[in-house]
Amino acid sequence: MVLHACHATFVSVFKHVIYYIKVETKYIFITGGVASSLGKGIISASLGKLLQARGYHITIQKFDPYINIDPGTLNPYEHGECYVTADGMETDLDLGHYERFTGIETTRDNSVTTGRIYLSVIERERRGDYLGKTIQVVPHITDEIKRRMLRSESAAKEHLDFVITEIGGTIGDIESQPFLEAIRQLRWELGQSRALNVHLTYVPYIAAAGELKTKPTQTSVKQLQGLGIQPEVLVLRTEHALNDELRQKVAHFCNVDPTAVVQSQDMPSIYEVPVNMQQQGLDAIILRKLGMEVGETPPLGPWRSFLERRKRATRVVNIALVGKYDLQDAYKSIRESLAHAGTYNDRKVNVTFINSESLTRDNVADKLAGMAGVVICPGFGQRGIEGKIIAAEYTRTHDIPTFGICLGMQMMVIEFARNVLGYDDANSSEMSADTTHNVIDMMEEQKSVTQMGGTMRLGAYACRLKAGSRACDAYRAASADNASGNGDGLRIVERHRHRYEFNNRYLAEFVANGMNCVGINPEANLVEIVEIPTLRWYIGTQFHPEYSSTVLHPHPLFMSFVKACALSN
Ligand code: GLN
């Protein structure tokens, strides 16, 4: 028995060592041409998924050419949602796709901007590290980009077989030049068996001529070639299927193998893309180009089951998103989390966006008519909050399932304080610094903060759930990966992005009047979840559950919420 155990340990250590020696990280760079918004993030996530399904260790990172240090300070109208990693980095929303597709957590290393690159070079210059040299874009900025692209320190530690790097923006942008120069150098230094470029372009359809046009693709590839980068694989985004002749033509003009010209046609769901890419052999082509054995095509069983279940789920459940950003991408993760939970509840979630700025007492019944549930969205600042409060009052008094997230939860609390506890001026000190009833108040540690960027309470923190609460039951029912323990409820870990919190001075009064605090951060005693148990589903979370819902692991609270909505339909 002991011998057996020893042997097992030896074998496992040995395997580990062999693996460690054998691993030679390969680098795949994904660039885009012709136009933005072609779905580079989805292609990167899909490729990651396909390589992961072959048993490889992968990571996907995004390099953005803008000068902000991170998108945390950007208005969602500029940049869509700000996604938050478990280790507390405010990042590009594409990282959300990477996590939802692969289930692999990203970190602060997976999101890099020009601003971060310059900041670290300039900080080093100020320290005198460059010993009097003139600091230049080439080599100093490009070296810093290369260092981060290689992930040299972590690639070995993480045993990464593949690092997929997506470059934001479009070829031809002035600001992406240093990133492309870094890719050119790396391809040269690493060689063809370790570095490869996938270029995504657009093939427009000219309706008047009834033709698909490849010229923009040819021009875009020429631009890349002019920068010294020859793409090995082309992914052509198109609204109409490309025929063989067209592929041959593109291959011929762009110095690419015809088999390495893949099309990405519009799909009914982004989650169909990995399967579609696998059918066209995107992963196999890449492995071949990198001189690796292709092996068997993985069946993608659970993924395909999800897609099939999604197709079968045709019964609609209407859910309203009450927020102030009238833009698809602003609440990306919430929309995706609802879609995941919809599928696993055998429903098609139909999301209706309701602009909270236009919600009034007079029109709320009309606007929410036919909604089986309401999500009150996160956000910052005064604009649109009264509409969120009106929505919270309406759904509370009409017992419509309601999910308040971060600012949404805070608005549920304010509404309850105003209309149930009778504090007419109840507010958050974010909106009204001198309100007498600051039921939402600035967190103590935030009071000394003067800088805006990256200074909120960010990333993963623990929360203990009260046994018997609906929230606790939801996590228990899902046997959630991020939940542990038993006895007095579960311990969960969720991601955060806020400066304000529930004011514990009012806790007893809320509980006495029917709004319970059912999730508490054990270290800071901060209220993480509120719930009205007498209603069908009325829960607010200070954290953002939407950041951790994935295709194969829908989030327990979204699961439970959509279930309640489906029942009330
Ligand atoms: N503005 C609120 C706060 O900072 C809520 C933030 C959010 O919704 N992410 O606490």
Side-chain angles (χ1 to χ4, degrees):
M1 191 66 194
V2 172
L3 250 179
H4 189 76
C6 271
H7 178 71
T9 316
F10 176 74
V11 170
S12 125
V13 169
F14 187 67
K15 264 194 191 155
H16 198 72
V17 169
I18 291 291
Y19 191 76
Y20 193 81
I21 295 167
K22 163 187 102 174
V23 126
E24 193 191 47
T25 310
K26 313 249 180 194
Y27 296 87
I28 301 171
F29 300 101
I30 317 262
T31 53
V34 182
S36 56
S37 304
L38 295 181
K40 249 184 299 152
I42 304 295
I43 295 293
S44 307
S46 300
L47 178 57
K49 172 82 208 160
L50 294 179
L51 293 172
Q52 176 195 32
R54 288 179 179 272
Y56 293 115
H57 290 93
I58 63 127
T59 194
I60 316 176
Q61 50 185 9
K62 174 94 189 257
F63 280 49
D64 272 306
Y66 54 78
I67 296 173
N68 303 64
I69 299 293
D70 60 49
T73 53
L74 282 172
N75 184 322
Y77 280 127
E78 295 272 322
H79 199 261
E81 163 188 283
C82 172
Y83 185 78
V84 179
T85 58
D87 69 348
M89 179 84 190
E90 296 171 289
T91 72
D92 185 78
L93 58 75
D94 276 325
L95 272 78
H97 292 309
Y98 307 161
E99 290 204 14
R100 287 188 284 272
F101 276 62
T102 63
I104 301 172
E105 277 194 0
T106 50
T107 70
R108 54 185 53 248
D109 292 339
N110 293 58
S111 179
V112 176
T113 66
T114 291
R116 270 182 93 189
I117 302 281
Y118 271 79
L119 186 68
S120 45
V121 170
I122 291 169
E123 276 172 355
R124 238 176 281 147
E125 185 272 339
R126 291 290 84 182
R127 276 203 309 265
D129 292 2
Y130 294 107
L131 305 174
K133 282 258 181 283
T134 306
I135 311 306
Q136 296 180 294
V137 173
V138 183
H140 301 97
I141 295 297
T142 45
D143 279 354
E144 179 61 17
I145 295 174
K146 279 160 63 183
R147 192 180 70 76
R148 290 177 188 252
M149 281 178 168
L150 286 171
R151 293 170 80 97
S152 331
E153 297 102 58
S154 54
K157 246 189 283 146
E158 298 167 283
H159 305 314
L160 290 171
D161 298 299
F162 288 97
V163 174
I164 299 171
T165 304
E166 177 191 347
I167 308 295
T170 311
I171 298 304
D173 296 344
I174 292 175
E175 57 260 50
S176 53
Q177 298 266 351
F179 292 106
L180 298 169
E181 170 59 13
I183 294 176
R184 187 195 66 77
Q185 292 182 19
L186 282 178
R187 284 164 55 94
W188 180 250
E189 287 161 22
L190 295 166
Q192 281 177 357
S193 64
R194 288 193 65 199
L196 169 144
N197 171 243
V198 177
H199 190 53
L200 176 68
T201 71
Y202 180 55
V203 177
Y205 178 73
I206 309 290
E211 273 181 54
L212 287 159
K213 293 292 182 190
T214 63
K215 189 71 82 191
T217 298
Q218 296 175 39
T219 312
S220 172
V221 172
K222 290 237 157 63
Q223 255 177 312
L224 257 186
Q225 289 166 339
L227 297 166
I229 302 172
Q230 168 62 52
E232 281 81 7
V233 180
L234 292 178
V235 178
L236 308 185
R237 185 69 200 277
T238 172
E239 279 137 53
H240 298 272
L242 306 171
N243 59 26
D244 270 352
E245 199 188 324
L246 222 119
R247 278 183 210 235
Q248 291 283 356
K249 185 174 166 188
V250 171
H252 180 67
F253 280 113
C254 300
N255 292 354
V256 173
D257 278 346
T259 54
V261 180
V262 168
Q263 66 171 322
S264 169
Q265 211 179 336
D266 285 356
M267 293 275 132
S269 152
I270 53 172
Y271 301 122
E272 306 263 357
V273 178
V275 174
N276 180 265
M277 288 298 120
Q278 191 189 51
Q279 277 160 359
Q280 295 185 67
L282 176 69
D283 52 341
I285 296 161
I286 289 175
L287 293 175
R288 227 172 278 128
K289 296 257 167 217
L290 290 169
M292 298 169 82
E293 215 174 289
V294 175
E296 276 177 30
T297 308
L300 301 178
W303 191 271
R304 285 180 195 270
S305 312
F306 168 83
L307 292 178
E308 272 150 34
R309 197 161 175 182
R310 188 181 174 278
K311 269 184 219 136
R312 272 186 271 118
T314 49
R315 264 183 81 183
V316 169
V317 56
N318 286 307
I319 296 183
L321 272 194
V322 176
K324 68 175 169 181
Y325 298 111
D326 198 352
L327 175 91
Q328 280 273 339
D329 277 357
Y331 305 109
K332 191 87 198 158
S333 295
I334 295 180
R335 286 175 185 268
E336 295 307 320
S337 304
L338 288 170
H340 304 155
T343 295
Y344 288 102
N345 276 292
D346 301 308
R347 290 291 188 284
K348 177 177 164 41
V349 174
N350 198 0
V351 171
T352 304
F353 176 76
I354 295 180
N355 195 326
S356 56
E357 279 186 283
S358 63
L359 260 189
T360 63
R361 281 229 150 69
D362 294 335
N363 68 18
V364 62
D366 267 358
K367 295 225 175 198
L368 295 183
M371 294 298 150
V374 174
V375 176
I376 308 184
C377 292
F380 295 84
Q382 178 76 36
R383 188 165 66 83
I385 63 153
E386 292 304 325
K388 288 184 175 172
I389 293 173
I390 289 168
E393 179 184 5
Y394 186 84
T395 56
R396 180 179 59 77
T397 52
H398 291 77
D399 199 3
I400 299 171
T402 308
F403 197 173
I405 300 177
C406 206
L407 185 72
M409 167 267 197
Q410 297 177 352
M411 294 305 116
M412 281 172 151
V413 167
I414 292 169
E415 187 279 318
F416 195 86
R418 288 187 189 174
N419 300 320
V420 178
L421 306 184
Y423 298 133
D424 292 346
D425 68 340
N427 215 328
S428 161
S429 39
E430 177 178 3
M431 318 303 167
S432 161
D434 47 9
T435 175
T436 34
H437 295 98
N438 53 346
V439 289
I440 302 293
D441 198 13
M442 189 177 260
M443 282 181 277
E444 203 46 49
E445 66 270 23
Q446 286 289 326
K447 292 187 178 155
S448 56
V449 172
T450 52
Q451 294 262 72
M452 288 298 272
T455 55
M456 281 185 260
R457 180 172 183 252
L458 290 167
Y461 286 92
C463 165
R464 182 157 284 284
L465 301 173
K466 198 157 257 148
S469 63
R470 189 162 284 135
C472 187
D473 290 348
Y475 281 92
R476 220 184 275 284
S479 338
D481 293 343
N482 62 345
S484 58
N486 41 36
D488 183 25
L490 294 177
R491 184 182 175 279
I492 55 161
V493 175
E494 293 283 0
R495 302 184 202 179
H496 298 72
R497 183 176 186 236
H498 66 124
R499 282 185 214 286
Y500 297 83
E501 62 173 327
F502 182 96
N503 185 340
N504 273 323
R505 271 198 293 127
Y506 293 93
L507 183 64
E509 229 178 314
F510 272 84
V511 175
N513 286 278
M515 182 178 265
N516 289 349
C517 297
V518 299
I520 306 280
N521 171 263
E523 285 84 39
N525 215 23
L526 184 139
V527 171
E528 295 275 6
I529 310 177
V530 296
E531 164 175 319
I532 300 184
T534 51
L535 296 178
R536 279 188 294 186
W537 211 99
Y538 197 85
I539 296 180
T541 61
Q542 186 58 78
F543 54 79
H544 291 263
E546 72 273 23
Y547 293 144
S548 46
S549 180
T550 69
V551 169
L552 299 183
H553 294 278
H555 193 281
L557 288 176
F558 279 97
M559 282 294 285
S560 160
F561 171 62
V562 173
K563 187 174 180 187
C565 297
L567 284 175
S568 75
N569 223 9

